[in-house]
Amino acid sequence: MCGITAHVAESDSLRSLLTCLQNLEYRGYDSAGLALLNGSEVRVTKSAGEVESLKQRVTNGDLEGEIGIGHTRWSTHGPPTDENAHPHTDCTGKIAIVHNGIIENHDQLRESLQARGHTFTSDTDTEVVPHMIEELLGQCESTAAAFRSAVDKLEGSYAVAMVVEGDHRVYASRSGSPLVLGLGEDSQYLASDVPAFLEFTNQVIYLQDGDVVVLSPDGYRITDLDGRPLERTVETMSWSPEDAQKRGHDHFMSKEIHEQPTAIRQAIEGRIDGDDVTLEEFPPGSFADVEAVQFVACGTSYHAGLYCEQLLGEWGVPVSTHFASEYAVSSPPVDGNTLVVGVTQSGETADTLEALRVASEQGARTLAVTNVVGSSAARKCDDALFIRAGPEIGVAATKTFSSQVTTLTLLGERLARDVTGSPTEGHESRLSALQSLPEQVESVLAASDAEQLAHRYRDSRSHFFIGRGPSFGVAREGALKFKEITYEHAEGFPAGELKHGPLALVTADTTVFAVCSGREESKLVSNVREVQTRDGPVVAVAPRSASSLLEVADDTLTVPATHPDLVPVLANVQLQLLSYHSAVALGRSVDKPRNLAKSVTVE
Ligand code: F6R
């Protein structure tokens, strides 16, 4: 959802900025740009399209500078054109700004600036900022004071970075949008996310809302909006630079699908002891006061919530799952005994953060289940539990779904023990199955027929995904993955709902993927027959033991036998591969699907 970056060094910054921008492209790829301080002059280059086209414009050798800012855009205000690309400048062209987020009061600010004679050249909300600073520079004692004064007037969410002609510093601040400082040996970085500069440094400071940072060749200084100095902790990232590379795969999505065995192992590590769950963050009794659990999440994370809601419900924990964007609009009742769990890979999704804020304001206890240490969700919630998946770069979430389900299953065991006073039924076999899950994912990856089926069904006009219980969450997730990267029509339903409407759409051109954990087999067989009666081809995604379903289906994607609560994780891997191979066969932009961006930091 737009990525911003900055680099301050002794030597030329252009290459580092381009690397950071390329590493940030998963946040938006409509247009890209950068501003370099070349001697004392600010030089801006920007263009519609991906960072690659920017790169072609700037690598002819005539652009250099030690200090710079960069931006890769996911359009909110104004279409993806050269004019709307960042950086934006003031009337003099001496102040350049990059911004991630939305400035809600930009209309009023623009009107008053125009009334005072400022000329705007773009449709963006961002452009108000350089014009405001242009005015404030004449009124404030220093550039830092002018910058602070401008950002203090902004409403909405922002992470902004600025360079000014003749001033060898980068000024930056955040409120509601992420911004991380990277401390290299002889240079410093700013970015919306750590993978941007991970190949240069793993020493990071997660800036907090209201922080203002000034980077100069000599170091950095963090203050609040009144200019009072602040201390922030330097953290060492455990992610390695290779984690954020493709490692021989054609796409990040493929690499991340294949990383799932490792991701699941990491999620489990040190958290299971025999038939007990040992969450360091939550010793027994941590949830003794909890009477109800609500998951709030978006997209794939919402589906992980749906999946685990089924498990917790069966284990006697009152639980519900909510779209975060809807939760903020009409939240269900909560009190001090309600645990609201924000499930969010990035920890920066604006809708989820807002739902958590609403829940907290109403007195609920909040918990972030996230991949990113130092993310807004992790910092703002009462507690955090990390899914430990490593960086996920592909816009389509894959490994983090498996890590979320694994982590939520462990959390669910702990919750159920505290809420009901006893361990869940069959926990020994479930925990043991969880420990074998990585090898089972490996065997799915090694022997999947998904690529073959992707080719067989590539001309289908519609793709339905159906399932019951936890498999419903995976049916929804299968459909989301399929539509987002193939651009083909796909929908996920509870299998029993088909006959209540969607069946009207089933023809020979509608492929139906029936996801089965093994438990709900006979009812699913009836649903499959309903589809086949209307000439729809059915692919069963099921364990080999689900023989009656596998026999009746037109095609199959099988998974190894495991605990029925975990079969849908394996089925999901098959569906990820199906989506991936379908998208490749259709020539889609797998890692950067159109109109989408990872980490949606606007509501
Ligand atoms: C789908 C996808 C999105 C995200 C959603 C929530 O593949 O990636 O649907 O799952 O935007 O993001 P997080 O989990 O970062 O809150």
Side-chain angles (χ1 to χ4, degrees), residues 189-201:
Y189 303 83
L190 270 173
S192 303
D193 207 351
V194 174
F197 52 68
L198 199 54
E199 57 202 90
F200 305 121
T201 180

Side-chain angles (χ1 to χ4, degrees), residues 227-540:
R228 285 184 292 256
L230 292 170
E231 289 292 324
R232 294 282 176 242
T233 318
V234 180
E235 297 182 37
T236 304
M237 291 303 294
S238 59
W239 297 351
S240 77
E242 292 75 34
D243 289 339
Q245 311 290 328
K246 284 190 199 148
R247 282 186 175 163
H249 287 264
D250 289 340
H251 301 95
F252 279 110
M253 184 180 180
S254 164
K255 178 202 159 212
E256 287 158 4
I257 289 173
H258 286 82
E259 280 176 346
Q260 286 177 110
T262 307
I264 296 171
R265 275 189 199 102
Q266 289 170 178
I268 293 171
E269 201 181 333
R271 290 174 167 174
I272 298 176
D273 184 9
D275 60 5
D276 205 2
V277 171
T278 51
L279 295 177
E280 198 189 334
E281 302 82 346
F282 302 110
S286 299
F287 300 114
D289 293 342
V290 171
E291 288 172 5
V293 175
Q294 296 173 355
F295 292 126
V296 292
C298 305
T300 293
S301 300
Y302 172 79
H303 299 147
L306 277 185
Y307 186 137
C308 295
E309 173 191 331
Q310 297 287 330
L311 306 188
L312 266 74
E314 258 177 46
W315 302 340
V317 179
V319 56
S320 52
T321 306
H322 306 264
F323 286 114
S325 53
E326 288 296 305
Y327 191 96
V329 176
S330 59
S331 53
V334 297
D335 60 24
N337 300 111
T338 313
L339 179 71
V340 177
V341 183
V343 187
T344 166
Q345 182 282 128
S346 61
E348 299 294 349
T349 300
D351 288 323
T352 308
L353 293 176
E354 178 59 8
L356 288 165
R357 191 194 62 74
V358 168
S360 175
E361 207 172 76
Q362 293 176 2
R365 177 175 167 188
T366 56
L367 164 61
V369 173
T370 181
N371 196 27
V372 182
V373 179
S375 61
S376 299
R379 283 202 320 266
K380 288 183 179 168
C381 284
D382 297 318
D383 294 295
L385 184 61
F386 296 103
I387 64 168
R388 305 172 179 167
E392 188 175 68
I393 309 293
V395 165
T398 51
K399 64 175 176 175
T400 53
F401 178 84
S402 295
S403 304
Q404 285 169 335
V405 171
T406 304
T407 309
L408 288 175
T409 303
L410 295 171
L411 175 70
E413 290 276 359
R414 161 62 49 235
L415 271 163
R417 286 173 199 220
D418 284 355
V419 173
T420 67
S422 47
T424 64
E425 207 184 312
H427 65 279
E428 300 93 337
S429 59
R430 191 179 307 103
L431 291 179
S432 144
L434 209 48
Q435 287 166 297
S436 311
L437 201 56
E439 292 88 73
Q440 286 168 327
V441 172
E442 265 156 21
S443 74
V444 172
L445 293 170
S448 173
D449 292 327
E451 183 169 4
Q452 218 179 314
L453 293 195
H455 287 278
R456 189 167 306 157
Y457 291 104
R458 66 177 268 182
D459 295 328
S460 287
R461 287 201 19 227
S462 259
H463 306 79
F464 286 0
F465 296 75
I466 58 171
R468 290 171 176 266
S471 302
F472 166 52
V474 162
R476 292 276 311 241
E477 174 57 11
L480 176 69
K481 212 82 324 171
F482 199 87
K483 75 178 79 162
E484 80 182 310
I485 60 165
T486 66
Y487 315 155
E488 297 295 317
H489 177 245
E491 285 189 67
F493 308 104
E497 281 297 300
L498 255 192
K499 57 187 175 295
H500 297 292
L503 208 48
L505 297 174
V506 171
T507 66
D509 279 336
T510 314
T511 307
V512 177
F513 295 88
V515 185
C516 178
S517 73
R519 267 196 192 136
E520 62 283 358
E521 193 181 343
S522 65
K523 284 190 178 165
L524 206 54
V525 168
S526 309
N527 303 135
V528 165
R529 291 204 194 282
E530 289 155 14
V531 170
Q532 289 173 324
T533 307
R534 277 90 191 167
D535 297 330
V538 174
V539 178

